[in-house]
Amino acid sequence: MIYFDNSATTQAAPAVLETYTTVSQKIWGNPSSLHNFGETAFHLLEQSRQQIAGLLGVQAHEIFFTSGGTEGDNWVLKGTAIEKRAFGKHLITTAVEHPAIHNSMEQLKELGYEVTYLPVDQEGRINVADLKAAIRPDTILVSTMAVNNEIGTIQPLLEVAELLKQYPKIHFHIDAVQGIGKGIQNMIMNDRVDFVTFSGHKFHATRGVGFIYARNGRKLAPLMNGGGQESNWRSGTENLPAIAGMAKALRLLLTDEDGKVARERAIKQRIYEHIKSFPKVTIFSQPTTGFAPHILCFTINGVRGETIVHAFEDQGIYISTTSACSSKKHLASSTLMAMHVQENIATSAVRVSLDENNTLAEADQFIKVFDQLYHKFSKINADA
């Protein structure tokens, strides 16, 4: 079995599962309890927070635990909207965001907020001049993903940060769910960003856990009210086994990050160089530094994406149509549609997404199967 669907989710690392199990069995007290058992749990919670903060070069009190990327995105957008509603009701994002951002923005529109969706070029990238033109006196938030989850485009985060230094009252949010561990941490954790979203299951932690970075001095209204956990920002008993496991997963991810990124980029390059010569193939993810090293999106024109996915699955290779959140709905890639790709091509798009555990040998097996399937699909189309 070859698993090339790591942007949808990653396999939990054995060391992470070991931590999760140990904490579940031995440190199962509530961190809010006053007795020693609760104190032990609380110390582990804060140790995990400190470890994550240290790995990202920030302060421990700037890390807040969540249930994952979707909650984090919802929280930053809606929390900003509530907290800053007296100062304005205009928000800016891009036309190629994950549904957690897009659908949250649409809900805020129903509540009376105004949203500007920045257009993208043929590589799925915004133009900072468009952002500057979109900023208004009542703008309260700019939100952009670091890495596009469908085609791997890296947004111009440092240029956006530089522009927003002129507008210090605007919240700047980055969705880094696909960007962590991909060699762009300096771009994500830049000196202007206010909020960053992370999701544990994208880097070999368990599902249902994540965190946000919130710059000291910035405020978000809480979405989860209750017992006052997470400094009253996000109530709910903390998922301590998953949080401790996530801290370990992040440490493992960022160990020899450059080497891991180089391996992913080499695998992507090998597949790219092979499939680019086929006349019915269209590739949207380039092997350049403007794209993440782990995502390769392409089409076999005339064949629907789900057909390609199942054909590879029959050969023991797991890829996906573009976003995992929309794949079962048989929708065309929202990113490709925003790039004005023809719908009949966009519906053929599939995504290979890698992690540090994939190998060049797996790439060679993928290429072998690709050749067989391309020949099969070409024959079927010719006979039709």
Side-chain angles (χ1 to χ4, degrees):
M1 190 269 281
I2 296 175
Y3 185 74
F4 278 175
D5 194 20
N6 290 281
S7 286
T9 194
T10 58
Q11 183 181 20
V16 170
L17 291 177
E18 181 181 0
T19 294
Y20 184 97
T21 301
T22 300
V23 174
S24 297
Q25 293 174 337
K26 297 183 178 181
I27 313 177
W28 42 266
N30 190 320
S32 297
S33 296
L34 292 178
H35 49 65
N36 288 339
F37 208 39
E39 280 293 304
T40 299
F42 176 78
H43 287 312
L44 179 58
L45 177 69
E46 295 310 305
Q47 181 182 338
S48 300
R49 194 189 314 275
Q50 182 66 58
Q51 181 174 10
I52 290 172
L55 290 166
L56 296 181
V58 300
Q59 299 300 309
H61 65 267
E62 297 175 311
I63 300 298
F64 296 85
F65 296 117
T66 69
S67 64
T70 294
E71 182 192 335
D73 285 343
N74 274 258
W75 183 14
V76 173
L77 269 58
K78 297 171 187 176
T80 291
I82 296 170
E83 183 69 33
K84 296 179 71 68
R85 64 191 181 280
F87 304 99
K89 290 190 172 183
H90 179 234
L91 308 101
I92 301 173
T93 189
T94 82
V96 293
E97 295 298 310
H98 187 277
I101 295 290
H102 178 84
N103 294 345
S104 293
M105 289 291 192
E106 289 299 296
Q107 185 179 28
L108 288 170
K109 284 171 63 176
E110 295 175 1
L111 297 174
Y113 291 81
E114 294 184 63
V115 179
T116 297
Y117 292 100
L118 300 175
V120 295
D121 61 19
Q122 292 182 335
E123 290 190 342
R125 192 171 291 107
I126 64 168
N127 188 320
V128 178
D130 291 334
L131 170 58
K132 184 175 183 179
I135 293 174
R136 307 182 335 201
D138 61 338
T139 302
I140 58 175
L141 173 73
V142 171
S143 177
T144 180
M145 54 178 29
V147 172
N148 181 266
N149 57 304
E150 296 186 347
I151 68 171
T153 308
I154 299 174
Q155 294 297 342
L157 304 178
L158 295 181
E159 291 86 343
V160 171
E162 194 63 29
L163 171 65
L164 291 181
K165 288 178 182 179
Q166 303 174 36
Y167 306 91
K169 294 182 180 180
I170 295 176
H171 281 185
F172 177 26
H173 168 241
I174 292 176
D175 178 344
V177 167
Q178 293 290 341
I180 187 67
K182 304 306 176 185
I184 59 170
Q185 185 168 312
N186 66 313
M187 298 171 61
I188 294 170
M189 305 304 298
N190 63 73
D191 61 0
R192 173 60 180 85
V193 71
D194 298 308
F195 302 98
V196 187
T197 304
F198 300 89
S199 179
H201 78 104
K202 303 296 187 180
F203 54 88
H204 303 290
T206 53
R207 300 176 196 185
V209 66
F211 65 96
I212 69 165
Y213 160 76
R215 177 183 295 280
N216 185 44
R218 293 299 203 186
K219 292 184 178 180
L220 282 180
L223 299 188
M224 307 287 283
N225 295 294
Q229 290 86 353
E230 296 299 291
S231 302
N232 254 340
W233 280 42
R234 197 273 189 187
S235 293
T237 302
E238 299 90 346
N239 186 355
L240 184 59
I243 289 169
M246 179 172 62
K248 176 172 282 189
L250 187 62
R251 177 175 61 80
L252 295 174
L253 175 77
L254 298 181
T255 300
D256 188 30
E257 181 182 5
D258 291 344
K260 293 170 182 174
V261 168
R263 289 195 293 275
E264 291 172 1
R265 198 172 293 283
I267 296 169
K268 175 181 173 179
Q269 182 81 36
R270 181 166 295 188
I271 296 173
Y272 174 89
E273 291 296 337
H274 182 80
I275 68 176
K276 71 177 184 180
S277 60
F278 289 79
K280 294 183 179 180
V281 169
T282 302
I283 304 177
F284 299 102
S285 310
Q286 300 304 311
T288 64
T289 55
F291 288 83
H294 66 300
I295 295 176
L296 178 62
C297 178
F298 67 92
T299 68
I300 300 177
N301 300 332
V303 186
R304 290 190 64 87
E306 58 263 30
T307 301
I308 300 171
V309 167
H310 290 308
F312 273 102
E313 181 184 6
D314 289 341
Q315 300 298 317
I317 299 176
Y318 292 86
I319 63 174
S320 69
T321 53
T322 48
S323 171
C325 295
S326 61
S327 61
K328 288 192 175 181
K329 300 176 184 177
H330 306 295
L331 300 175
S333 161
S334 59
T335 298
L336 297 183
M337 297 301 290
M339 291 162 55
H340 303 294
V341 174
Q342 294 179 10
E343 185 171 0
N344 64 322
I345 296 178
T347 54
S348 296
V350 294
R351 178 187 67 188
V352 168
S353 50
L354 311 166
D355 77 358
E356 66 274 18
N357 296 316
N358 292 126
T359 66
L360 287 171
E362 291 177 330
D364 291 337
Q365 179 62 19
F366 175 91
I367 287 169
K368 179 180 177 181
V369 172
F370 174 88
D371 289 350
Q372 296 169 356
L373 295 179
Y374 186 90
H375 176 75
K376 173 185 175 182
F377 291 139
S378 296
K379 188 175 187 302
I380 292 173
N381 288 342
D383 293 341

